[in-house]
Amino acid sequence: MDHFTLKNGTMHAEDVPLSRIADEVGTPVYVYSRATLERHARVFMDALSGLERKHFAFAIKANPNLSVLRVLAKCGFGADVVSGGEIARALASGIAPADVVFSGVGKTREELQRALDDGIGQFNIELEDEGIAISELAVAMGKRAVAVLRVNPDVDAKTHAKISTGKKENKFGVPIDQAGAIYARLAGLPGLDMRGVALHIGSQVFDLDPLEAGYARIGAFVGELRAAGFAIDRVDLGGGLGVPYQRGQVPPEPAEYGQMVARVTKGWDVTLMFEPGRVIVGNAGVLLTKVIWVKPGVINPYVIVDAAMNDLARPALYDAWHDFEAVRPTGARMIANIAGPVCESTDTFAMARDIDAVKPGDLAVFRTAGAYGATMASTYNSRALVPEVMVDGDRYAVVADRVQPEALIAAERLPEWLLD
Ligand code: LLP
């Protein structure tokens, strides 16, 4: 459920007509609904409320906008981060360092040092050498870093290959058959306080069975670690829950997920940690765009909008579907291709799609754009960096400016030897 609905024939974000935002801020622009963010946060947390000990860390990569993070921090979320930049964002949004989990397969020594300086709560170690590096850095500072080992359980999340992370050929985690030996060596290092394990098998997961299979493998592994004498007090179950991108799609309900988690983790006696991203922010955002032209095509017309693959990369990268709806639908329909202005054929949002009939100047939205939308934007074709707006009831604020090409040009330098 979200708060992007038609009122008097015009799509609103909560109580603000999207046409007002388009007039005042321009297009393309991402629009987030605070009430939707809060609702999703609550539904997810409620689904897991029966668990005795738990920790929620929003996967910042899904939407690192400071205002979004602030809303989620107020709901009780910590942060799952994968870079020094994401640590900076988490802390700037008011999330306590102790509530930050540092994931990521390529943390540099500089980033690890920074995380230790900031006192972040947990390191999710991806390979033995990383654990050794954290140990050395922590010893040099006279600290002990709380850490877990990310294990690759070798399960197929049955999602898009490019967002699948839990199969043995993926770059993430240590192979489950070597994890026991690696854990034992890491647990013996000074400066490291090894407390448990982590996994994350993929994103946009629609089938709970692979998640359950992964969790069960991790549960068995925790049993082996305990039998070997290690004190395990936390397991990080990652993120991954899918969301509906298309009308009629039915992803697992958070409540079903909660029941599955409760069943499979029964008796583990650990703090369970969660790193949801998409399920919290996906449907809390739309990309608002304006139709520039409707170009007759050989088979179907091309609706050329002012948003492009640099603003919303998911269709170009993963053939992802985002529902397209007119802000003032007339009831008429058309079959059309939807494309942006970027000079690549992959800058196409949809082919032969049955959509609200639109004409040049009309406003429309790509739905479910709150996750992996603005954060993956670029300035390709020297387009402006897309701005972001947050709506709260009948008010809204620009929470990230449109960064104009002139500002990007100002960050470039012509060397003296090119000035002649
Ligand atoms: N934890 C870890 C370690 C992750 O790698 C990810 C996502 C998450 C949590 C959050 O997963 P979520 O709950 O959002 O599924 N750009 C792609 C998605 C990449 C996901 C990467 N990892 C897309 O637009 O579909």
Side-chain angles (χ1 to χ4, degrees):
M1 206 218 108
D2 61 54
H3 289 78
F4 297 97
T5 48
L6 285 179
K7 293 179 185 173
N8 303 320
T10 299
M11 193 186 292
H12 283 56
E14 304 188 21
D15 297 326
V16 179
L18 291 180
S19 46
R20 189 178 139 206
I21 295 174
D23 286 347
E24 294 171 7
V25 184
T27 53
V29 57
Y30 279 91
V31 181
Y32 308 130
S33 150
R34 177 181 181 174
T36 311
L37 287 169
E38 288 173 342
R39 184 188 142 76
H40 290 179
R42 199 170 52 244
V43 167
F44 189 82
M45 287 170 144
D46 284 354
L48 296 155
S49 59
L51 301 171
E52 213 173 302
R53 283 175 284 146
K54 60 238 168 210
H55 181 269
F56 299 101
F58 171 62
I60 285 193
K61 62 173 81 73
N63 190 323
N65 180 279
L66 284 186
S67 300
V68 169
L69 298 184
R70 181 105 184 140
V71 168
L72 296 178
K74 283 172 183 279
C75 294
F77 272 89
D80 169 60
V81 302
V82 294
S83 69
E86 287 193 348
I87 293 177
R89 284 182 174 275
L91 302 185
S93 73
I95 294 173
D99 284 330
V100 177
V101 173
F102 195 4
S103 302
V105 72
K107 310 178 192 77
T108 64
R109 279 181 172 266
E110 290 72 26
E111 287 173 321
L112 292 170
Q113 180 66 56
R114 175 189 181 155
L116 286 164
D117 289 340
D118 288 337
I120 71 120
Q122 175 177 301
F123 292 82
N124 287 13
I125 296 175
E126 288 268 356
L127 70 164
E128 189 167 357
D129 283 349
E130 181 196 336
I132 294 169
I134 298 170
S135 160
E136 287 167 2
L137 293 169
V139 167
M141 295 172 76
K143 283 196 174 182
R144 268 189 102 204
V146 170
V148 302
L149 180 63
R150 178 162 175 186
V151 174
N152 184 321
D154 191 24
V155 294
D156 184 350
K158 297 192 205 145
T159 182
H160 194 287
K162 290 189 177 164
I163 52 175
S164 185
T165 52
K167 292 184 74 181
K168 63 175 183 290
E169 62 269 30
N170 295 133
K171 68 179 176 180
F172 299 99
V174 300
I176 193 154
D177 53 352
Q178 297 167 30
I182 295 173
Y183 195 97
R185 290 196 290 273
L186 291 177
L189 294 179
L192 262 193
D193 183 8
M194 293 300 296
R195 302 276 280 273
V197 290
L199 85 162
H200 173 78
I201 64 167
S203 195
Q204 186 56 8
V205 179
F206 249 62
D207 181 350
L208 291 180
D209 291 349
L211 283 171
E212 182 161 0
Y215 296 172
R217 282 185 199 180
I218 289 301
F221 179 56
V222 165
E224 289 168 28
L225 289 174
R226 284 192 170 137
F230 300 109
I232 303 298
D233 75 359
R234 51 181 77 184
V235 176
D236 185 337
L237 297 177
L241 269 195
V243 300
Y245 278 98
Q246 216 171 326
R247 242 170 237 287
Q249 276 183 333
V250 189
E253 288 289 329
E256 283 172 68
Y257 173 72
Q259 285 154 17
M260 179 276 277
V261 169
R263 182 172 68 244
V264 72
T265 65
K266 200 162 188 283
W268 283 13
D269 189 24
V270 292
T271 296
L272 288 172
M273 307 180 68
F274 299 90
E275 300 171 352
R278 190 184 321 255
V279 73
I280 305 297
V281 291
N283 281 311
V286 298
L287 174 57
L288 177 59
T289 187
K290 188 182 273 179
V291 177
I292 308 175
W293 308 110
V294 177
K295 179 180 180 181
V298 174
I299 303 171
N300 291 307
Y302 271 94
V303 170
I304 314 273
V305 294
D306 66 0
M309 61 182 282
N310 70 297
D311 305 305
L312 177 62
R314 303 192 67 259
L317 275 179
Y318 319 115
D319 294 321
W321 177 295
H322 286 264
D323 275 342
F324 179 84
E325 289 173 16
V327 166
R328 289 200 181 101
T330 60
R333 311 285 300 172
M334 69 196 285
I335 306 289
N337 310 322
I338 309 165
V342 160
C343 295
E344 290 207 32
S345 292
T346 193
D347 185 24
T348 302
F349 294 105
M351 291 297 284
R353 183 91 68 88
D354 178 1
I355 57 170
D356 290 326
V358 286
K359 56 184 191 318
D362 285 355
L363 296 170
V365 296
F366 291 103
R367 277 187 170 271
T368 319
Y372 307 108
T375 185
M376 288 170 66
S378 75
T379 58
Y380 186 40
N381 276 206
S382 288
R383 290 165 52 84
L385 194 60
V386 62
E388 297 161 271
V389 157
M390 183 178 286
V391 171
D392 177 22
D394 60 3
R395 60 184 173 176
Y396 79 86
V398 176
V399 292
D401 289 344
R402 191 183 306 279
V403 181
Q404 297 291 356
E406 290 70 20
L408 300 164
I409 293 170
E412 292 182 24
R413 302 281 170 265
L414 276 169
E416 212 178 288
W417 37 265
L418 275 180
L419 291 178
D420 53 359

